Amino acid sequence: MPLQNRVLATGEIVAHPARGLFMGNRGILHDDRRRLGAARWRHKAWIICVLVHKDWHRTVMSPGNYTELFFLDEAVALAAGHRPCKLCRRDAYLAYTEAAGHRGSAPELDTVLHAERAIPRRFEQRRHTADLAYLPDGAVILADGTPNLVLGDRLLPIGPDRYGPAVKRPDQGTVPLLTPPTSVAALRGGYAPRLHPSSSF
């Protein structure tokens, strides 16, 4: 039976067997039976990690260790409020911060992102709005209640394990935006998130 450790673009953490391209961390969210409690974060450093780093090996959701979270791809992880890890993805972290125009420390970046992505004491994702015509590739919006990836002249519905068939991107219109403003700025500045192969079909 799959563990509840798959993060959707909406910020929800669900049980799903697919593991995706990246892993993440928000602190210890599970108990000694590998079940999530009410909390959806324990600190502000929400990171996007590689699945394999050096020769490190972990048992997923070990007691007393951080809860391993998984994402379809990097665009989904960014939409959920995460940013590249400074340890295992240093080059990506530096590219992200440069593209976003961030000159401070990683904790300062996390404080900014946390204010953009989370509603305090409610463990809910903060939503934004934007004009669809000006969103960069890699941003994630809600269209008819479904997360969609913005990619060129297309919108791609995001499923737990792959992207759905593309639809034409409207020329304009105000839409609910899941990706936090700092990550949108990074995408606009040239940061290219790694996407799931199904995004090209």
Side-chain angles (χ1 to χ4, degrees):
M1 184 173 181
L3 298 171
Q4 186 182 356
N5 57 9
R6 184 57 180 264
V7 183
L8 305 181
T10 56
E12 298 170 87
I13 306 177
V14 301
H16 195 280
R19 282 294 172 260
L21 303 184
F22 291 97
M23 185 181 77
N25 175 15
R26 298 180 185 177
I28 301 173
L29 308 180
H30 64 279
D31 61 20
D32 58 3
R33 297 178 64 183
R34 303 202 292 180
R35 299 175 305 185
L36 263 60
R40 290 297 177 263
W41 62 81
R42 293 294 186 187
H43 54 62
K44 296 179 181 179
W46 297 15
I47 55 178
I48 309 168
C49 299
V50 293
L51 296 178
V52 178
H53 181 60
K54 299 182 177 180
D55 60 349
W56 298 0
H57 297 279
R58 298 177 58 87
T59 299
V60 175
M61 285 188 168
S62 295
N65 287 308
Y66 71 78
T67 302
E68 295 86 353
L69 303 172
F70 296 89
F71 312 94
L72 174 68
D73 63 11
E74 194 170 12
V76 168
L78 292 174
H82 290 243
R83 52 90 174 162
C85 177
K86 192 176 180 181
L87 174 64
C88 69
R89 302 187 64 221
R90 184 171 180 80
D91 289 346
Y93 171 82
L94 293 174
Y96 174 93
T97 54
E98 180 177 357
H102 177 75
R103 299 292 180 261
S105 66
E108 289 170 336
L109 173 61
D110 293 331
T111 296
V112 171
L113 279 170
H114 199 66
E116 295 176 352
R117 71 194 170 205
I119 301 175
R121 295 178 295 278
R122 286 171 53 184
F123 295 117
E124 293 179 7
Q125 185 184 36
R126 189 179 300 281
R127 305 287 169 82
H128 303 270
T129 58
D131 188 334
L132 184 56
Y134 298 102
L135 286 176
D137 286 0
V140 176
I141 66 165
L142 282 178
D144 296 324
T146 299
N148 277 251
L149 175 72
V150 175
L151 196 61
D153 62 354
R154 302 177 296 157
L155 296 177
L156 280 71
I158 306 172
D161 57 353
R162 62 178 293 110
Y163 287 98
V167 298
K168 182 175 174 52
R169 174 181 176 175
D171 294 331
Q172 59 184 358
T174 300
V175 293
L177 175 65
L178 298 183
T179 309
T182 295
S183 289
V184 172
L187 295 170
R188 188 172 287 118
Y191 185 74
R194 182 179 167 197
L195 301 179
H196 190 269
S198 61
S199 65
S200 62
F201 298 154

